[in-house]
Amino acid sequence: MSVNDEQVVIKAILCEQNNQKFYVANIKSRMLKKMCFITRRGEDEGGFQRLLSEGRAKSIMGYLDDEKGVIPTPLILSAQENIDISYDKRGGKLTFSENEKGFLIIDGQHRLYGLNLANNEYEMPVVIFTGLSSVREVNLFIDINTTQKGVPAALLVDLKEMAGKETPIEARQRELFEWVNTTAPMAGQLSSTTGGRGKISRKAFNDATVKLYESRFFKNQDDSTIAKSLTNYLMAVEKAFILSNDKEARLNKTINFNAIMNIYITVVDRCIAEYNNLKVDSFSEILQAISTISYSTYKGTNKQTLAALTKELKSKIEKKVKITEEMF
């Protein structure tokens, strides 16, 4: 990239798709900071970007400066008329004026602000559109944000081991996941990459079991003890579900699995207090009452639904104590 009399010249590749031309190039973060701008919905007339998350921008800055990460995903820019952009096809170079508000950000505002906050200067890949109307800019923004689909969270969790980024707890959860998925009553009912009907995803499993490793009883227990206890508990839950007439009373329904895991520690504490063991029969004595719940009424996996089902489960396992005169 060179600058002559306030003219910037950069190497670029011309691309064309369905009669729409755009350019692929690299621009240093210093130049992007000077020339890029954003229009936000609710702040600018005709604005279409969402509000900036400062936390997200700061995490990108830390990823670049501290973790020495790389961001190969390009910013999508719309060149404005005030920079008088032109392309030399023979030389493969774009020329434009160095002016403020020269490039409108179509996609990548958080990456841009992360670059702006960074202490170091970085070269950033960009895709530059020229001659777009404001309507076409908005449509391009909509197209990008409705046709692009992120990688499923379950797959990202599963890939952490390969990337060497698992936390100690996540490594233990992976071992527990594999145990549960090869042991009755949930053998084959977990999926390491995606969820869906009849499968509990690795992400859902991790979210539901993380509290085990923080609980008073299991905090200092070995993985074998945790696995055997959870297996016995799930077998007791399965027995209760079999007693139910509700077809949605099943372990491989995510909302059910999350809710029964929410009451797991409570049931363990009571099982030890009353029976001094964690056997299937002891768990079953406590969990028998959950067979009367109408699980079909709990649909979806949102927080409100989970909280409601958890509350009903807790009410069913609460030990009712009748106060009599003999107690005094």
Side-chain angles (χ1 to χ4, degrees), residues 211-212 215 218 261-270:
K211 291 181 181 179
L212 291 183
S215 65
F218 290 112
M261 291 308 301
N262 280 348
I263 67 168
Y264 178 44
I265 300 303
T266 300
V267 177
V268 165
D269 287 344
R270 193 175 145 191

Side-chain angles (χ1 to χ4, degrees), residues 275-307:
Y275 304 102
N276 198 34
N277 65 55
L278 296 174
K279 296 180 179 180
V280 176
D281 289 344
S282 300
F283 278 129
S284 293
E285 286 294 322
I286 298 168
L287 293 169
Q288 199 172 55
I290 71 171
S291 63
T292 62
I293 292 175
S294 177
Y295 294 93
S296 295
T297 61
Y298 295 97
K299 299 177 181 179
T301 56
N302 60 67
K303 291 181 179 179
Q304 293 80 5
T305 304
L306 178 58

Side-chain angles (χ1 to χ4, degrees), residues 107-127:
D107 185 65
Q109 67 161 326
H110 287 94
R111 278 167 278 156
L112 174 65
Y113 274 85
L115 287 167
N116 290 348
L117 293 171
N119 295 315
N120 302 318
E121 185 174 34
Y122 298 96
E123 198 169 55
M124 190 70 186
V126 297
V127 170

Side-chain angles (χ1 to χ4, degrees), residues 12-183:
I13 298 173
L14 171 64
C15 296
E16 187 170 350
Q17 295 175 359
N18 295 322
N19 298 319
Q20 175 68 66
K21 294 180 179 179
F22 55 89
Y23 305 93
V24 179
N26 294 326
I27 300 180
K28 290 187 181 296
S29 54
R30 170 183 57 81
M31 182 67 66
L32 291 169
K33 185 176 182 180
K34 286 182 179 180
M35 296 189 61
C36 291
F37 72 104
I38 293 165
T39 61
R40 294 194 179 91
R41 195 71 177 161
E43 292 183 358
D44 304 300
E45 184 177 352
F48 53 83
Q49 287 279 1
R50 57 187 164 177
L51 295 177
L52 177 74
S53 167
E54 292 186 12
R56 186 176 172 188
K58 287 180 180 178
S59 69
I60 291 173
M61 173 199 68
Y63 173 70
L64 287 168
D65 281 351
D66 301 330
E67 299 180 34
K68 307 303 179 186
V70 296
I71 302 177
T73 309
L75 302 177
I76 311 298
L77 312 178
S78 175
Q80 304 299 291
E81 291 183 358
N82 66 340
I83 64 171
D84 193 26
I85 193 167
S86 62
Y87 183 65
D88 175 9
K89 190 172 183 179
R90 179 176 295 180
K93 294 179 180 180
L94 274 177
T95 301
F96 52 86
S97 303
E98 185 182 341
N99 291 332
E100 291 184 0
K101 293 192 174 182
F103 292 118
L104 173 68
I105 293 285
I106 301 292
D107 185 65
Q109 67 161 326
H110 287 94
R111 278 167 278 156
L112 174 65
Y113 274 85
L115 287 167
N116 290 348
L117 293 171
N119 295 315
N120 302 318
E121 185 174 34
Y122 298 96
E123 198 169 55
M124 190 70 186
V126 297
V127 170
I128 301 173
F129 287 85
T130 60
L132 296 182
S133 66
S134 57
V135 172
R136 185 69 186 99
E137 288 172 340
V138 174
N139 274 286
L140 185 57
F141 171 82
I142 293 171
D143 290 346
I144 291 170
N145 286 281
T146 55
T147 58
Q148 291 182 353
K149 187 175 181 180
V151 177
L155 178 57
L156 292 177
V157 171
D158 194 51
L159 291 175
K160 277 189 173 184
E161 178 197 3
M162 187 183 298
K165 290 190 173 182
E166 273 187 328
T167 66
I169 294 299
E170 286 173 337
R172 297 180 70 185
Q173 286 181 294
R174 174 168 46 80
E175 296 292 334
L176 184 62
F177 178 92
E178 291 172 359
W179 171 286
V180 173
N181 201 30
T182 55
T183 308

